[in-house]
Amino acid sequence: MTTTLTIRGLHTTIGTSQILHGLDLDVAAGRTTVVLGRNGVGKTTLMRSILGYLDHTGELTFRGASLAGLPTHQRVRRGIAYVPENRDVFAGLTVAENLRLAERRGAEPRYELVFDLFPELKQRLAQTAGSLSGGQQQMVSLARGLLVESHLLIVDEPTKGLAPRVVKEVVAVLRAVREQSTLLMVEQNLMAAGELADDVVILSEGRIAKTGDRRILANREELRRYLSVARSAEHGVD
Amino acid sequence: MDTFFLILATGLSVGALYYLLASGLSLIFGLMDVLSFAHGALLTFSAYSAIMTMNWFGAASTGALLAAIVVSTLVGGAVAFLVEWLFLRPMYARGHLSQLLVTMGIGLVLIAAVTIGFGPDPRSMPLPDNVSGSIDVFGVLIPVSALVTVAAALLLHAGLMAFLRRTRHGLIVRAGVENADMVRGLGIDVAKSFAMVFTIGGLAAGLAGALALVYVRAGTPHLGDTYLIYAFIVIVIGGIGSLPGTLIAAALVGLSQQFANHYLTGGAGDLLVLALLALMLLARPQGLFGKTGRIV
Ligand SMILES: Nc1ncnc2c1ncn2[C@@H]1O[C@H](COP(=O)(O)OP(=O)(O)OP(=O)(O)O)[C@@H](O)[C@H]1O
Ligand SMILES: [Mg+2]
């Protein structure tokens, strides 16, 4: 099995606090890797380190080449697409403008694919993204990430804060996407994680606590131990 | 009645000069989070290049004035381009204070250069007669200089709006004002937009330099200082990153200043502007058109 992204000894510090403490991870090509972990454990920090937003040490190897020293936009051009935690649509711009920003020289924009996945967006091209519902904004953000072909799609908590019906829609879209792509996603919703994951990674205290395939998700007792908020409160974390 | 229209014209003219400086500052701060204290000195430095151009031509002809305006604009743009490239680019990761100090330092150097080259005393700007006079507009005598500055500001505004609304670079700037990190996350090199916007700000400051001379008719090494302060006030009132807001605020500040100075007492204009600023910060910190709620 080939790996799309290999991470070795990733240390990330934000300000003066070290968030990731020497993390190792392999993202297998063609599969969907779901990252889980308590709030504040460093999931988003991991994604933002891969994208080059945060200073970090350690080795990141993407499709056989090192990402060291590359700024964010160049990592993206190498083929990493990013759908961030809080969707981060450009609220004052229209849906069409949000999508146009994702176009890139030398890559064919896949508008047909995007409108097949999100027919609703086609009707709302002229609307400002800020006036959309949370679910619709998530769709804009996903559409932006899918507009040009990538080799790794990173999606941070796509179902966060969405109504159950909308969660289903987003999961359905991601099920279609995962057939064609390599996905690395953070997903705390266990139903959604269960439907999407091939591989599972559990983070704890800035390290990998457990990795394995989707069967990890079946052991709810153990999962609860890693994910429970009550436990972290007991220990005075957070 | 004539006085009223004259003050209206000077108010708008001063406002136009504020806009020329503030539009660039507002875009620069909105996109790059950099407060450029170098922009006042950039105005001054460019203004002296306009004086040099006029002197080089010898005669104060309209053609010479146009050349001086073009030279001043280009000098502003070129210096800004170099400043961004050599001094600001290495500082983006360093936080606001370093950037602020760097732009202040560059401002001081530019002013020192002007003082060394031309001395501290005012240098007059020779103007052609058709520009130094007034013309009759519907029975009211309006200074030509006021028409020129207001027209320049409106043209610049139209040009900037077209750039922002109709070009891909403009789209990237608008997106970057909202969230530069996300623009990077789409594979776009925002640093290029930073350079472009800073240079555009420099071109506008250069234009302001020549036109300030058309308005005040003499340059001193500190010509740009007061304009800079009022330009900052204008962008706070207008809403950072919003050019329509900046345009309206510039007119508002220019008019309040001139009318208060004339109808109340000299100096009242500055107090009124500060009162407007305070009122705005209390009641609507995001400014007239701003959305972010961010204050300088
Ligand atoms: N900009 C920042 N400055 C300081 N600390 C930060 C910053 N961003 C994140 N942190 C800290 O880093 C730690 C990890 O944050 P991160 O966002 O990666 O967690 P997460 O696992 O994604 O959490 P969540 O489930 O809430 O999304 C947290 O303790 C957080 O407080
Ligand atoms: Mg997170």
Side-chain angles (χ1 to χ4, degrees):
Chain A
M1 188 170 25
T2 57
T3 45
T4 294
L5 176 69
T6 312
I7 302 175
R8 290 292 173 266
L10 178 64
H11 290 261
T12 302
T13 309
I14 301 179
T16 53
S17 49
Q18 184 163 7
I19 314 291
L20 300 180
H21 305 267
L23 185 145
D24 298 339
L25 177 68
D26 291 317
V27 178
R31 291 170 69 87
T32 295
T33 305
V34 169
V35 178
L36 298 142
R38 274 199 310 267
N39 291 122
V41 82
K43 303 178 298 293
T44 298
T45 304
L46 169 59
M47 304 302 149
R48 289 176 61 80
S49 302
I50 296 170
L51 262 304
Y53 283 118
L54 301 170
D55 283 338
H56 55 80
T57 60
E59 285 171 36
L60 295 177
T61 311
F62 179 63
R63 302 179 75 227
S66 169
L67 293 178
L70 289 185
T72 299
H73 70 275
Q74 283 179 19
R75 294 184 187 203
V76 172
R77 286 182 196 171
R78 291 258 175 113
I80 303 180
Y82 181 44
V83 181
E85 182 168 22
N86 296 314
R87 328 196 204 295
D88 285 350
V89 296
F90 301 106
L93 308 188
T94 64
V95 171
E97 286 172 332
N98 268 272
L99 293 177
R100 209 182 306 146
L101 282 163
E103 290 178 11
R104 210 174 302 152
R105 197 177 305 158
E108 196 56 39
R110 305 183 294 181
Y111 279 105
E112 268 183 35
L113 175 141
V114 160
F115 291 140
D116 275 350
L117 289 171
F118 310 104
E120 207 182 335
L121 292 187
K122 202 171 181 173
Q123 262 82 65
R124 298 185 185 273
L125 284 175
Q127 206 172 321
T128 55
S131 67
L132 300 174
S133 69
Q136 291 162 343
Q137 292 191 7
Q138 186 61 67
M139 288 171 191
V140 172
S141 193
L142 281 165
R144 247 176 8 191
L146 291 167
L147 189 70
V148 299
E149 198 173 10
S150 63
H151 298 287
L152 173 65
L153 177 63
I154 293 184
V155 188
D156 195 347
E157 297 215 50
T159 63
K160 188 172 146 187
L162 300 181
R165 185 183 54 77
V166 188
V167 170
K168 281 210 182 98
E169 278 178 51
V170 169
V171 170
V173 165
L174 288 170
R175 279 184 72 95
V177 169
R178 74 192 279 285
E179 299 307 320
Q180 329 283 332
S181 349
T182 306
L183 259 161
L184 172 62
M185 55 186 294
V186 178
E187 185 50 82
Q188 299 285 75
N189 178 325
L190 291 182
M191 184 278 291
E195 286 204 41
L196 297 166
D198 293 308
D199 300 313
V200 175
V201 175
I202 299 178
L203 284 194
S204 181
E205 318 299 338
R207 289 190 180 82
I208 303 281
K210 194 172 175 67
T211 58
D213 65 18
R214 49 180 294 120
R215 279 171 299 184
I216 290 182
L217 295 172
N219 190 343
R220 290 297 161 106
E221 192 48 45
E222 189 187 30
L223 269 186
R224 210 162 291 136
R225 240 187 313 124
Y226 284 119
L227 303 182
S228 84
V229 181
R231 209 177 122 82
S232 68
E234 263 168 38
H235 290 230
V237 186
D238 281 44
Chain B
M1 206 56 195
D2 269 6
T3 332
F4 176 84
F5 281 108
L6 185 64
I7 293 172
L8 187 72
T10 28
L12 289 176
S13 169
V14 173
L17 292 171
Y18 294 158
Y19 178 80
L20 291 176
L21 208 53
S23 52
L25 286 172
S26 179
L27 279 182
I28 289 166
F29 186 76
L31 180 68
M32 306 159 67
D33 268 355
V34 172
L35 268 181
S36 173
F37 277 87
H39 264 63
L42 215 53
L43 183 155
T44 309
F45 192 83
S46 314
Y48 275 81
S49 76
I51 295 176
M52 279 175 74
T53 309
M54 283 314 268
N55 290 340
W56 184 82
F57 273 93
S61 63
T62 312
L65 180 62
L66 283 176
I69 291 173
V70 170
V71 167
S72 178
T73 306
L74 293 179
V75 165
V79 175
F81 176 80
L82 290 175
V83 165
E84 196 279 338
W85 186 37
L86 296 175
F87 301 105
L88 278 178
R89 197 166 296 183
M91 304 298 279
Y92 289 132
R94 298 268 191 91
H96 288 148
L97 188 62
S98 330
Q99 294 161 4
L100 198 129
L101 292 175
V102 164
T103 62
M104 277 184 163
I106 290 162
L108 291 176
V109 169
L110 289 175
I111 290 172
V114 166
T115 314
I116 290 167
F118 298 90
D121 299 328
R123 280 292 189 114
S124 70
M125 171 83 167
L127 289 179
D129 291 341
N130 54 2
V131 175
S132 54
S134 297
I135 54 167
D136 191 313
V137 181
F138 302 120
V140 185
L141 279 181
I142 303 290
V144 176
S145 64
L147 295 177
V148 171
T149 45
V150 170
L154 291 177
L155 275 176
L156 177 73
H157 182 67
L160 287 176
M161 292 304 277
F163 164 73
L164 289 172
R165 292 214 175 124
R166 299 197 200 291
T167 69
R168 178 164 174 87
H169 284 300
L171 176 62
I172 292 171
V173 171
R174 281 188 292 145
V177 167
E178 273 195 43
N179 185 345
D181 264 350
M182 193 59 231
V183 177
R184 293 187 182 93
L186 295 174
I188 295 165
D189 185 3
V190 190
K192 275 191 194 145
S193 305
F194 283 14
M196 186 185 299
V197 162
F198 203 83
T199 305
I200 290 174
L203 290 167
L207 179 60
L211 295 180
L213 292 176
V214 172
Y215 177 70
V216 295
R217 294 171 192 208
T220 69
H222 292 280
L223 177 68
D225 296 2
T226 40
Y227 288 110
L228 183 69
I229 292 168
Y230 284 104
F232 277 135
I233 294 176
V234 161
I235 63 175
V236 174
I237 293 180
I240 285 153
S242 161
L243 290 183
T246 304
L247 186 68
I248 290 169
L252 194 71
V253 169
L255 288 171
S256 320
Q257 220 179 10
Q258 298 302 315
F259 274 105
N261 277 342
H262 186 266
Y263 287 106
L264 301 173
T265 164
D270 296 350
L271 286 179
L272 182 61
V273 168
L274 287 177
L276 273 176
L277 175 68
L279 205 69
M280 198 53 133
L281 287 176
L282 288 172
R284 205 177 149 77
Q286 73 273 36
L288 287 173
F289 284 63
K291 294 188 189 100
T292 58
R294 217 169 23 175
I295 323 170
V296 177

